[in-house]
């Protein structure tokens, strides 16, 4: 985050956060509420994951649990990995990612551009399944047990959720505290819950709605499945999702999400990935139930540039 009110940063980590929030006026339902998207694609690696990577690695270094030259290990669908690779480069750390061919190849390339070592776990048929995630996790755990290694622990470290607290505070400031619903798809659940924490810290308590792909309705039906929305629907209970804080959980068809990505780019100029498309589909549904002047806020998780050459934009 830019600390002194100017755009001057001491290093590239200072360029994280303070992202714009954009109203989707053209997609608002007649007689319904306003739709706002916190556009996180403007972070240095094009994703809100930069917030959590900086939080996890900086706090670990501050505690003395991680030192310059150490190796950071994580299993990742690529956005977290790219963010960890970026922050590791800035902080003088090495980074090894356990990745898979089920995720965008451009994400592998981005991690490697930041100097990361990327190990590929084969998916078989290109889909994200609970079995694939379990194999990636086991491989990362084994590597992290080696000397001089630090497990970033995107599914367990309390520093992950804390990294998104500023995003919630920014939303509160951007919209003068007027937020009626906060809705977002969940992988770990950290972005949604961290944003809710930041909003609450600013005295703002909207309804909180979590989303998952209809093709992997683990939270809504108890059974996961194969789907193609990168970053969400991880096949097990999202560790940071605080069910007591949720007002609703909805399953959204991934094909509506991908169509929304294409519509967003052409109709509004927002260039986003599949999870953002899913978020906007749900935000429009929720806006139908709001009064004019009420606001639903969702997250623009990352930039569509990460998905060029994949199945979303063809
Ligand atoms: C593109 C994308 N969208 C959404 C998410 C979900 O975020 P969270 O894990 O904080 O719930 C992720 C997480 O990996 C992601 O990479």
């Amino acid at each position: 985050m830019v600390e002194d009110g100017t755009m001057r940063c001491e290093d590239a980590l200072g360029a994280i956060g303070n992202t714009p929030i954009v109203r989707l006026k053209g997609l608002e339902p007649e007689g319904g509420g306003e739709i706002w998207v916190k556009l996180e694609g403007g972070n240095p690696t094009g994703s809100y994951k930069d917030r959590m990577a900086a939080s996890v690695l900086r706090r670990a270094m501050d505690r003395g649990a991680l030192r310059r030259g150490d190796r950071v290990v994580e299993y990742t669908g690529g956005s977290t990995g790219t963010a960890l690779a970026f922050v590791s480069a800035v902080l003088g750390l090495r980074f090894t990612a356990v990745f898979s061919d089920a995720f965008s190849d451009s994400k592998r390339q981005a991690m490697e551009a930041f100097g990361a070592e990327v190990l590929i776990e084969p998916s078989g048929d290109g889909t994200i399944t609970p079995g694939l995630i379990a194999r990636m996790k086991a491989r990362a755990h084994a590597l992290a047990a080696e000397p001089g290694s630090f497990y970033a622990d995107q599914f367990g470290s309390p520093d992950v959720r804390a990294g998104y607290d500023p995003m919630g505070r920014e939303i509160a400031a951007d919209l003068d505290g007027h937020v009626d619903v906060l809705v977002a798809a969940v992988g770990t659940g950290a972005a949604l819950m961290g944003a809710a924490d930041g909003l609450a810290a600013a005295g703002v308590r909207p309804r909180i709605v979590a989303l998952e792909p209809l093709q992997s309705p683990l939270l809504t039906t108890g059974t996961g499945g194969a789907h193609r929305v990168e970053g969400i629907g991880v096949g097990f209970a999202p560790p940071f999702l605080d069910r007591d804080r949720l007002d609703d959980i909805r399953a959204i068809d991934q094909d509506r999400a991908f169509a929304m990505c294409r519509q967003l780019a052409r109709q509004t100029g927002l260039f986003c990935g599949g999870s953002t498309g899913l978020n906007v589909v749900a935000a429009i549904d929720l806006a139908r139930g709001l009064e004019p002047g009420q606001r639903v806020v969702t997250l623009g998780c990352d930039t569509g540039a990460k998905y060029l050459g994949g199945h979303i934009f063809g």
Side-chain angles (χ1 to χ4, degrees):
M1 196 179 304
V2 182
E3 284 100 6
D4 62 0
T6 72
M7 295 302 281
R8 198 166 54 227
C9 305
E10 289 301 317
D11 62 24
L13 300 189
I16 298 171
N18 285 322
T19 52
I21 193 161
V22 177
R23 184 169 171 187
L24 293 186
K25 215 167 180 169
L27 298 183
E28 288 169 4
E30 194 72 27
E34 298 175 10
I35 301 169
W36 293 82
V37 184
K38 183 73 168 158
L39 221 52
E40 290 285 301
N43 282 300
T45 74
S47 156
Y48 62 32
K49 295 286 172 176
D50 291 350
R51 295 180 185 264
M52 70 76 113
S55 171
V56 168
L57 299 186
R58 258 207 298 226
R59 287 170 202 239
M61 289 184 93
D62 289 347
R63 282 196 302 271
L66 179 63
R67 289 176 196 79
R68 280 182 80 82
D70 282 353
R71 178 178 69 167
V72 175
V73 178
E74 187 55 278
Y75 69 101
T76 169
S79 290
T80 295
T82 305
L84 286 167
F86 153 64
V87 177
S88 295
V90 177
L91 297 177
L93 302 162
R94 293 176 296 133
F95 176 57
T96 296
V98 178
F99 187 64
S100 170
D101 53 68
F103 306 104
S104 306
D105 195 53
S106 60
K107 290 183 176 175
R108 174 188 63 75
Q109 292 172 327
M111 290 189 279
E112 289 181 348
F114 286 112
E117 175 188 34
V118 182
L119 307 175
I120 307 291
E121 186 65 33
S123 65
D125 64 358
T127 60
I128 307 160
T129 59
L132 172 66
I133 303 287
R135 290 199 305 280
M136 291 169 67
K137 181 177 179 177
R139 198 163 165 190
H141 277 195
L143 289 169
E146 293 174 7
S149 297
F150 173 84
Y151 185 38
D153 198 8
Q154 62 162 318
F155 295 104
S157 165
D159 300 333
V160 173
R161 177 167 166 173
Y164 294 106
D165 184 286
M167 185 166 70
R169 293 174 194 257
E170 290 168 29
I171 292 168
D174 293 337
L175 297 180
D176 302 317
H178 178 177
V179 181
D180 297 282
V181 183
L182 175 69
V183 57
V186 294
T188 66
L192 176 64
M193 301 315 300
D197 293 342
L199 282 161
V204 184
R205 295 188 175 275
R207 279 164 54 209
I208 310 289
V209 180
L211 307 173
E212 64 181 354
L214 184 63
Q215 285 72 10
S216 182
L218 182 75
L219 301 172
T220 47
T221 70
T223 309
H227 71 92
R228 302 192 78 188
V229 191
E230 296 183 35
I232 64 169
V234 289
F236 51 84
F240 302 112
L241 197 66
D242 194 346
R243 289 228 185 193
D244 295 341
R245 293 270 299 276
L246 297 182
D247 294 276
D248 198 5
I249 307 178
R250 296 183 175 198
I252 305 290
D253 188 341
Q254 65 181 13
D255 295 324
R256 288 180 73 201
F258 302 141
M260 180 55 70
C261 291
R262 296 184 284 271
Q263 185 185 347
L264 277 171
R266 289 169 194 200
Q267 198 176 321
T268 72
L270 259 55
F271 189 33
C272 303
S275 59
T276 303
L278 200 120
N279 285 351
V280 172
V281 166
I284 295 170
D285 289 348
L286 284 157
R288 281 196 190 93
L290 297 181
E291 303 289 326
Q294 290 190 306
R295 290 173 173 165
V296 53
V297 173
T298 194
L299 306 176
C301 312
D302 61 359
T303 165
K306 293 184 180 230
Y307 303 90
L308 289 174
H311 62 89
I312 299 179
F313 297 105

